[in-house]
Amino acid sequence: MISFAGGYPASDLFDTDGLQAAAAQAWQVSTRCLQYGPTDGLPELKTQLLALMARRGVTCTAEEMLVTTGSQQGLDLLLRILLAPGDTAVTEQPAYPATLQALRLQQANIVTVPVDGDGIDVGVLAARLDSGAIARPKLLYTVPTFANPTGATLTRERRLALLRLAVQYRFVIVEDDPYGDLRFAGAAVPSMLALASEVEGARDWVVHFSSLSKVVAPGLRVGWTIAPPEIARRCVIAKQTVDLCSTPWTQAIAARYLAAGSLERHLPRIAQAYRGKCEALCDGLRAQFGDAIAFHQPEGGMFVWARIPGVAIDALLPNAIASKVIFVPGKAFFADNADPASLRLSFAAPNVDEIREGVARLQHATHATRTTRKASAASVSA
Amino acid sequence: MISFAGGYPASDLFDTDGLQAAAAQAWQVSTRCLQYGPTDGLPELKTQLLALMARRGVTCTAEEMLVTTGSQQGLDLLLRILLAPGDTAVTEQPAYPATLQALRLQQANIVTVPVDGDGIDVGVLAARLDSGAIARPKLLYTVPTFANPTGATLTRERRLALLRLAVQYRFVIVEDDPYGDLRFAGAAVPSMLALASEVEGARDWVVHFSSLSKVVAPGLRVGWTIAPPEIARRCVIAKQTVDLCSTPWTQAIAARYLAAGSLERHLPRIAQAYRGKCEALCDGLRAQFGDAIAFHQPEGGMFVWARIPGVAIDALLPNAIASKVIFVPGKAFFADNADPASLRLSFAAPNVDEIREGVARLQHATHATRTTRKASAASVSA
């Protein structure tokens, strides 16, 4: 089975040497990491993460940051302190399913705004806010850079417009940024948090999540939240009740890994590998499908979002599995009005040869799906 | 400053050699622990935890178990799936403050039942249930063995009576058992979960939490929940949204540590050390305070709960800090009607010499508090 389905980073690109060295060093420095740690994160890790954020163009303080069990926990904590049942939360559509699930768990009123190749359609959002069609949103969740599932990156202009809307309509922009460092083409766009300094008052309305899961390893479970101090403080209080602290041992390892400069050294290897994989996937799709498939080639991240017009992806999936290739049907990413012709293809885990073969199998399965459909249409009309 | 305040285990009793060996082995076996893991826990860890529970007299299946970020997360997940706002939750009083906080976060109606030297007063509970004074409780939270803060252990007879009440009144017994293996005196009492097999239908009403935090190291953040399969399944679904999985790296280390038999080898060293510390504390209290203090000497765990009749602990605390000794005032552990003369003393972290000196300082501070009180009473009457 060749899998385009996973949302996992490539295991064979983990920097095992760097992590092993960091693990040994963390232990030599102190076995303090065996004890409970501060709820907001180990100070030595926060120092490294603040430096990492500074390299990404964000100046912030330790009081604005908390370390979480992956950025997933950051979202859970934020929603728990911010959302009351029935509060309106805006998401891009299609969106990361775990976010939709987290919003449902908080009984949010989920309102969706469509995404195109340039990210969430801020013009549509502005019109709906102006008309009152979206009333008093509490927050807007977005993955503005190399989104899951679309791979799209929000343009700088849209980011600035979105920041202005947040200030005007007083909602929190929840920026989830696990993939931003995985750029392998095009010019970098600053994060919403970095750009917030260009829009008066906007910094008060941005909560930023990031994570080492996609650039170092998920097995550390190290994510972090940057939020206005009062929101950060309330997240820390909630975290005291939720799990006291994220794993101090792997926090200490992450701190040593970052302090050693290993992330900067290793990141280009991951980005280069992902570029090759992404090109293999996109070149393969163009070669095998021609005009029968539509997609935007992403400039980073792990995902290609595609449409195969006229093909019901629900019917394609079993044929694909029979051909030993798998993907995630697009409908998993919709809160409502799912696009039945859409699918998400992740290029992160398979190697280039597997990707080429996987695309050929997908084409074969698509052909089989079309043929079956025509045959059953013919039998119905007969 | 000598601290009796901490709820942390003794750092100098961590089995650093055993953990270092386990960490090296976990890595040699596979770097799979760098990837995301199953939400319910790494299979190799669950296998070891099932074996550990079997040694504790509990037979259960993998479907009934999930690994959590400390047992604290187990409680948070359970309350989220089980409690609606306004639902009644019964706790022992005094109780672990983070539990009270978690119940408040879920907007529970908290009802308390008093604890004596034999644990929660099941007779009082039964009378209140029978009279309808406690109506339709959803759950009862208890630390039945070496409780935090009281150090008390619920008798076997009370455990069986409590299990029968749970079946009769259809509430979930939430058994938190982080300290059970830290017995250094007296005869072992089976956990509520182990005893549930002796009361028809009771197994369906027991959720059990345990943890490696107090017997191995908190820095692993490895806890686990054992629950009826449907409750366990719902906790796993909630955990997918909350943090996807607890840290796979330290789960893998914990699995190797347990597989190597290191816990059984090391545990007697911790228990022996805690026995010496507990005796030093209790002997010191008797020698320094005589009849002026009341406490039950615990048979395990980390805590001594004491009362100094006629002394306002709020007034004692600043004097104690001035004498360079600290503890937790008892009122922190009450949901209502706090006992102003109570305090919690933890003997886990300080060494025996520090404990003796700390008790002398506490006596000194108590004397100063009484003297000041008499002096100000005299000055008022003058």
Side-chain angles (χ1 to χ4, degrees):
Chain A
M1 184 69 71
I2 293 172
S3 178
F4 296 125
Y8 290 10
S11 293
D12 55 358
L13 291 173
F14 292 148
D15 179 13
T16 50
D17 290 346
L19 284 167
Q20 196 156 19
Q25 281 170 19
W27 189 274
Q28 279 159 17
V29 171
S30 163
T31 54
R32 194 168 46 91
C33 63
L34 296 181
Q35 193 50 275
Y36 289 105
T39 301
D40 63 328
L42 289 190
E44 63 264 39
L45 177 58
K46 291 184 69 172
T47 300
Q48 292 300 324
L49 294 175
L50 289 170
L52 173 60
M53 291 309 299
R55 293 194 293 278
R56 294 178 181 174
V58 172
T59 307
C60 58
T61 66
E63 288 66 38
E64 293 170 287
M65 176 183 279
L66 63 145
V67 175
T68 54
T69 307
S71 53
Q72 180 92 12
Q73 188 188 41
L75 178 64
D76 182 58
L77 293 172
L78 182 73
L79 297 186
R80 284 177 83 163
I81 66 152
L82 219 55
L83 283 189
D87 278 351
T88 294
V90 182
T91 68
E92 47 201 3
Q93 175 146 285
Y96 177 48
T99 298
L100 298 175
Q101 191 52 34
L103 290 170
R104 288 190 194 108
L105 198 66
Q106 288 303 116
Q107 300 172 56
N109 170 38
I110 301 174
V111 173
T112 62
V113 172
V115 171
D116 61 24
D118 289 334
I120 191 167
D121 193 328
V122 179
V124 167
L125 173 66
R128 292 197 196 157
L129 286 166
D130 292 345
S131 73
I134 299 177
R136 302 168 53 92
K138 205 70 168 266
L139 61 85
L140 176 144
Y141 173 89
T142 178
V143 185
T145 308
F146 317 134
N148 179 6
T150 67
T153 293
L154 195 66
T155 62
R156 184 188 176 94
E157 292 66 35
R158 286 195 183 178
R159 287 176 194 231
L160 290 167
L162 183 53
L163 288 163
R164 286 190 290 267
L165 286 174
V167 174
Q168 182 184 351
Y169 288 99
R170 304 178 65 79
F171 60 84
V172 173
I173 296 173
V174 182
E175 175 179 48
D176 199 353
D177 187 29
Y179 310 111
D181 273 355
L182 295 175
R183 177 175 285 280
F184 46 71
V189 184
S191 69
M192 303 284 299
L193 183 61
L195 278 177
S197 57
E198 298 187 18
V199 176
E200 197 183 334
R203 183 67 182 253
D204 294 341
W205 296 102
V206 178
V207 174
H208 179 98
F209 300 131
S210 193
S211 164
L212 296 184
S213 293
K214 305 305 189 291
V215 294
V216 182
L220 295 163
R221 302 308 292 125
V222 168
W224 61 97
T225 299
I226 297 168
E230 175 60 15
I231 291 180
R233 196 185 63 81
R234 289 175 60 204
C235 287
V236 171
I237 291 172
K239 186 168 165 63
Q240 283 168 3
T241 302
V242 163
D243 65 4
L244 289 173
C245 62
S246 293
T247 309
W249 196 338
T250 53
Q251 286 189 59
I253 293 170
R256 299 305 304 175
Y257 186 82
L258 294 171
S262 298
L263 178 61
E264 290 88 332
R265 264 196 302 280
H266 189 71
L267 203 49
R269 281 189 51 198
I270 302 180
Q272 190 181 351
Y274 281 7
R275 173 169 52 225
K277 291 171 184 233
C278 181
E279 284 173 0
L281 176 59
C282 294
D283 292 350
L285 291 173
R286 280 185 286 262
Q288 294 277 351
F289 284 82
D291 292 342
I293 199 164
F295 63 92
H296 284 270
Q297 184 158 344
E299 297 186 330
M302 297 167 36
F303 304 111
V304 169
W305 180 253
R307 297 190 76 246
I308 310 178
V311 171
I313 299 300
D314 278 346
L316 171 60
L317 187 61
N319 289 332
I321 292 170
S323 300
K324 297 198 181 304
V325 63
I326 194 165
F327 56 84
V328 182
K331 68 175 180 185
F333 304 93
F334 286 83
D336 50 37
N337 301 316
D339 175 356
S342 63
L343 67 165
R344 189 193 75 176
L345 300 164
S346 169
F347 50 80
N351 66 36
V352 166
D353 288 341
E354 288 166 342
I355 289 171
R356 289 190 184 118
E357 172 63 20
V359 173
R361 292 179 188 177
L362 187 66
Q363 198 282 330
H364 177 80
T366 306
H367 181 73
T369 309
R370 290 190 198 276
T371 310
T372 312
R373 186 160 160 262
K374 281 177 192 151
S376 42
S379 99
V380 165
S381 60
Chain B
M1 184 69 71
I2 294 172
S3 178
F4 295 126
Y8 290 13
S11 293
D12 55 357
L13 291 172
F14 292 149
D15 179 13
T16 49
D17 289 346
L19 285 167
Q20 196 156 19
Q25 282 171 18
W27 189 273
Q28 279 160 17
V29 172
S30 163
T31 55
R32 193 166 48 91
C33 63
L34 296 181
Q35 192 50 275
Y36 289 105
T39 301
D40 63 327
L42 289 191
E44 62 264 38
L45 177 58
K46 291 184 69 172
T47 300
Q48 292 301 324
L49 294 175
L50 290 170
L52 173 59
M53 291 308 299
R55 293 195 293 277
R56 294 178 181 174
V58 172
T59 307
C60 58
T61 66
E63 288 66 39
E64 293 169 286
M65 176 183 279
L66 62 144
V67 175
T68 55
T69 307
S71 53
Q72 180 93 10
Q73 188 188 40
L75 179 64
D76 182 59
L77 294 171
L78 182 73
L79 297 186
R80 286 177 81 163
I81 66 153
L82 220 55
L83 282 190
D87 279 352
T88 293
V90 182
T91 69
E92 46 202 4
Q93 175 145 291
Y96 177 48
T99 297
L100 298 175
Q101 191 52 34
L103 290 169
R104 288 189 193 108
L105 198 67
Q106 288 303 117
Q107 300 171 54
N109 169 38
I110 301 174
V111 174
T112 62
V113 172
V115 170
D116 60 25
D118 288 335
I120 191 167
D121 192 329
V122 178
V124 167
L125 173 67
R128 292 198 196 157
L129 286 166
D130 291 345
S131 73
I134 300 177
R136 301 168 54 93
K138 205 71 167 271
L139 61 86
L140 177 144
Y141 173 89
T142 178
V143 185
T145 308
F146 316 134
N148 179 4
T150 65
T153 293
L154 195 66
T155 62
R156 184 188 177 97
E157 293 64 37
R158 286 193 183 179
R159 288 176 194 232
L160 289 168
L162 183 53
L163 288 163
R164 285 189 291 267
L165 285 174
V167 174
Q168 181 183 351
Y169 287 99
R170 304 178 66 79
F171 61 83
V172 173
I173 295 173
V174 182
E175 175 180 48
D176 199 351
D177 187 30
Y179 310 110
D181 274 354
L182 294 176
R183 177 175 285 279
F184 46 71
V189 184
S191 69
M192 303 284 300
L193 182 61
L195 278 178
S197 58
E198 298 187 17
V199 175
E200 197 182 333
R203 183 66 183 252
D204 295 342
W205 297 102
V206 178
V207 174
H208 178 97
F209 299 132
S210 192
S211 164
L212 296 184
S213 293
K214 306 305 189 292
V215 294
V216 183
L220 295 163
R221 301 310 290 128
V222 168
W224 61 97
T225 299
I226 298 168
E230 175 61 16
I231 291 180
R233 194 185 66 79
R234 289 174 61 204
C235 287
V236 171
I237 291 171
K239 187 169 164 62
Q240 283 168 4
T241 302
V242 163
D243 67 2
L244 288 174
C245 61
S246 294
T247 309
W249 196 339
T250 53
Q251 285 188 59
I253 293 170
R256 299 304 306 174
Y257 185 82
L258 294 172
S262 299
L263 178 61
E264 288 89 330
R265 264 195 303 280
H266 189 71
L267 202 49
R269 279 190 51 199
I270 302 180
Q272 191 182 351
Y274 281 9
R275 173 170 51 224
K277 291 170 185 234
C278 181
E279 285 172 0
L281 177 58
C282 294
D283 292 349
L285 290 174
R286 278 186 288 261
Q288 295 278 350
F289 284 82
D291 292 342
I293 198 165
F295 63 92
H296 284 270
Q297 184 158 344
E299 297 186 331
M302 295 167 38
F303 304 110
V304 169
W305 179 252
R307 297 189 77 245
I308 310 179
V311 171
I313 299 300
D314 278 346
L316 171 60
L317 187 61
N319 289 332
I321 292 171
S323 300
K324 299 200 182 301
V325 62
I326 195 165
F327 57 83
V328 182
K331 68 176 179 184
F333 304 94
F334 287 81
D336 49 36
N337 300 315
D339 175 356
S342 62
L343 66 164
R344 189 193 76 176
L345 300 164
S346 168
F347 51 80
N351 65 35
V352 166
D353 287 341
E354 289 166 341
I355 289 171
R356 290 192 184 118
E357 173 61 22
V359 172
R361 293 180 189 177
L362 188 66
Q363 199 282 331
H364 178 80
T366 305
H367 181 73
T369 309
R370 290 191 200 273
T371 311
T372 311
R373 187 161 159 260
K374 281 179 194 152
S376 43
S379 100
V380 166
S381 62

